[in-house]
Amino acid sequence: MASKLAPLVKFNNGLTCPILGLGTWQAESGDDVYRAICEAIDMGYRHIDGAYFYDNEKEVGQAIRDKIQQGVVKREDLFVTSKLWNTYHRPDLVEKMAKVSLSLLGLEYLDLYLIHWPMAYKEGDNLIPLDANGKCYYSDVDYVDTWKAMENLVEKGLVKSIGLSNFNSKQIDRVLGIAKIKPVTNQVESHPCLPQTKLFEFCKARGITITAYSPLGSPARPWAKPEDPSLLDDPKIKAVANKYKKTTAQVLIRYHIDRGMIVIPKSSNPKRMLENFSIWDFTLTKEDVADISTLECNGRFVLEDEGLDHKDHPFGVHAKDLEF
Ligand code: A2P
């Protein structure tokens, strides 16, 4: 086990969340993800970020329950997140889908449930409902109505906290305009090519944390092109890593923690999971952070491009004049 657990971040509702979690997007369902979650808990991870869309909640939940049964952790020591997919935004589907994720995980409550994206797709179990021309069928459900149904989940005790993912500044303010319960976080892509500094400040002023996904630059995304920048091999990040005798992945993770963000690097490899968790013995200086931030190039790797012309895509064609 790593020598230290991750420090906790306090949410606007008084509850806390470990600042470093394990991402599970692209963690293949089956034995691999089961083993990865078991090993992660053994080495000190207490925050597991998942989603219905990742199609591995059954294995993730089995691992969590086995570790609880073995007495390694108690349920209340863990922070477990799931997310509501785009085809289930209609308010009457929200509780049903939270219960589906709970049932797959085999848990009685979630620590955090997020609206995965602001855009609603045509309702149903076809998660990317495409027509014959490859165009996605949309739904006109408004995410503020979805939010009201998310609030009911807290009132019913199915989830402890609720939040957003991939929402832009305008959409966050629309939710805040109707919210009885404020979102605790907005989970967004973040790394030095897209450091999300303005969105972070905007959310901070409203008492909302930022959770950074793809902090290593999502090197395994299936649509990566050879000419795309590789943050893990970037000379500037390497120079900072050499200075602290750390790896580039460790620097990329600290880059978020030292700016006050929650961060959820994905790995299913025990050696890399431990590497990513062994970051408590160094911090980056303001100068390091500023130096790394010069890599900013509005470089987005995760687009959800099936929905780019949806009226609610956070950075799609209808949001092109919006800065963040
Ligand atoms: P693996 O699961 O085989 O370790 P991101 O969180 O930015 O999406 O990055 C996740 C990707 O980066 C996964 O493909 C993961 O592969 C890889 N990865 C995770 N940790 C490290 C690391 N410490 N060094 C190199 N690659 C890593």
Side-chain angles (χ1 to χ4, degrees):
M1 176 164 151
S3 53
K4 191 172 180 292
L5 296 180
L8 301 175
V9 170
K10 200 163 189 176
F11 285 150
N12 59 35
N13 61 7
L15 298 175
T16 56
C17 167
I19 197 160
L20 174 61
L22 184 73
T24 62
W25 178 51
Q26 290 186 307
E28 301 257 339
S29 57
D31 267 8
D32 274 4
V33 66
Y34 172 82
R35 266 199 301 272
I37 302 296
C38 288
E39 301 221 27
I41 292 173
D42 283 342
M43 63 181 73
Y45 283 87
R46 295 291 176 264
H47 171 176
I48 314 285
D49 180 84
Y52 179 74
F53 186 73
Y54 303 162
D55 194 24
N56 54 17
E57 289 194 308
K58 196 161 174 259
E59 294 85 348
V60 169
Q62 186 65 52
I64 290 173
R65 283 180 290 118
D66 286 355
K67 285 293 149 190
I68 293 172
Q69 212 194 349
Q70 290 164 20
V72 178
V73 280
K74 300 195 194 72
R75 172 66 186 91
E76 56 271 30
D77 299 331
L78 292 173
F79 187 95
V80 182
T81 301
S82 183
K83 308 187 190 87
L84 177 79
W85 184 244
N86 308 1
T87 55
Y88 306 108
H89 277 204
R90 214 175 60 206
D92 63 295
L93 300 174
V94 173
E95 182 174 332
K96 180 176 158 250
M97 286 316 293
K99 285 182 170 164
V100 167
S101 282
L102 283 170
S103 156
L104 285 166
L105 290 160
L107 299 177
E108 283 177 9
Y109 68 90
L110 291 167
D111 293 279
L112 179 62
Y113 199 47
L114 306 177
I115 303 183
H116 205 146
W117 287 88
M119 325 67 97
Y121 292 170
K122 184 182 169 220
E123 291 73 21
D125 295 331
N126 182 359
L127 301 187
I128 313 274
L130 301 179
D131 70 13
N133 300 315
K135 167 100 187 70
C136 190
Y137 290 109
Y138 297 153
S139 155
D140 57 8
V141 174
D142 188 331
Y143 52 80
V144 295
D145 294 322
T146 310
W147 186 257
K148 291 178 199 153
M150 297 281 285
E151 293 180 328
N152 291 336
L153 304 178
V154 180
E155 278 148 23
K156 290 195 170 175
L158 295 169
V159 313
K160 302 271 185 209
S161 300
I162 48 177
L164 308 171
S165 182
N166 298 300
F167 275 57
N168 67 34
S169 54
K170 221 164 137 183
Q171 294 170 330
I172 292 167
D173 270 348
R174 270 197 80 222
V175 171
L176 288 175
I178 58 95
K180 281 191 290 171
I181 301 176
K182 266 170 99 169
V184 295
T185 198
N186 184 28
Q187 184 181 121
V188 292
E189 175 180 350
S190 176
H191 42 70
C193 295
L194 185 72
Q196 300 282 19
T197 311
K198 286 187 177 155
L199 189 61
F200 175 76
E201 292 302 334
F202 175 92
C203 285
K204 192 172 168 192
R206 289 156 178 77
I208 300 170
T209 61
I210 287 282
T211 302
Y213 75 71
S214 297
L216 310 180
S218 194
R221 66 194 181 283
W223 52 88
K225 296 189 212 79
E227 66 271 23
D228 287 347
S230 162
L231 289 169
L232 289 167
D233 299 318
D234 183 87
K236 203 164 261 184
I237 313 277
K238 271 189 181 160
V240 178
N242 290 341
K243 182 163 106 180
Y244 295 104
K245 298 195 171 28
K246 291 285 169 185
T247 66
T248 49
Q250 290 170 322
V251 168
L252 289 166
I253 295 166
R254 277 274 15 154
Y255 175 67
H256 291 91
I257 292 177
D258 291 329
R259 293 186 305 143
M261 294 183 180
I262 300 164
V263 61
I264 48 166
K266 178 265 170 185
S267 180
S268 309
N269 172 292
K271 189 174 153 279
R272 290 192 283 276
M273 282 192 299
L274 186 59
E275 176 184 326
N276 297 350
F277 202 76
S278 305
I279 53 160
W280 312 119
D281 56 351
F282 81 114
T283 53
L284 300 179
T285 62
K286 277 200 175 111
E287 291 72 30
D288 296 326
V289 168
D291 192 28
I292 294 171
S293 295
T294 60
L295 293 170
E296 174 162 18
C297 58
N298 197 26
R300 264 184 210 284
F301 300 132
V302 182
L303 292 178
E304 189 52 24
D305 44 8
E306 292 89 0
L308 272 176
D309 66 354
H310 191 295
K311 66 179 172 42
D312 292 329
H313 195 293
F315 36 84
V317 297
H318 299 284
K320 65 178 182 339
D321 296 330
L322 192 68
E323 199 188 350
F324 60 93

